[in-house]
Amino acid sequence: MSDIENTLSSSQAGTAAASKEVPQISIRGADISDAMTVARFVHALVDELSGGETATIEEVFEITSRVVSDAGVIALIAYEDRQPVGAMTLNECKEIYAGGKFGETSELYVDPNHRSHGIAKQLLGSAQSEAKPRSSNVICF
């Protein structure tokens, strides 16, 4: 998977309030070497949604390693100053009503300390850019 460098300046990321400084975010495609980073975000997501009743990080890592290496999956990581702050996975699906291939967001998580800065929106934009060459017409969340 090719790296996606989608760096937005604070003037382009108009989702944060004017009083907040908008962080410089870069987004790149994840591969098998990033499986633990993606697993940490997925683990945090499931933990947050389930109220603490989730699999161990080791179990999530094992599954993430298989999923991230699948050709029908796009995994992305958002970075602020080289620190991972969010991740998402997008699966290639096929539906007649969608005109063929489309992408379905499976996981999307931004670290709570970095929310409300437009990071999820940037991840979705990068996923859409990555999915277009694969003939994906729609991204479902």
Side-chain angles (χ1 to χ4, degrees), residues 43-85:
H43 185 264
L45 171 65
V46 174
D47 191 56
E48 192 173 300
L49 293 175
S50 71
E53 296 180 27
T54 185
T56 67
I57 187 65
E58 292 82 8
E59 293 168 323
V60 175
F61 171 71
E62 181 182 324
I63 297 165
T64 303
S65 297
R66 289 193 310 266
V67 170
V68 169
S69 61
D70 188 299
V73 174
I74 296 170
L76 302 169
I77 303 172
Y79 292 87
E80 178 184 348
D81 298 326
R82 297 186 178 159
Q83 288 296 110
V85 295

Side-chain angles (χ1 to χ4, degrees), residues 102-138:
F102 71 98
E104 180 180 67
T105 303
S106 299
E107 291 94 10
L108 173 60
Y109 187 81
V110 175
D111 178 89
N113 296 322
H114 294 87
R115 292 180 183 165
S116 299
H117 293 247
I119 295 169
K121 183 177 181 179
Q122 292 176 51
L123 280 164
L124 287 167
S126 292
Q128 189 170 23
S129 296
E130 181 72 15
K132 274 190 182 194
R134 298 179 183 207
S135 301
S136 295
N137 301 314
V138 178

Side-chain angles (χ1 to χ4, degrees), residues 26-39:
S26 63
I27 298 174
R28 71 170 183 81
D31 60 27
I32 190 66
S33 68
D34 300 303
M36 183 52 85
T37 300
V38 174

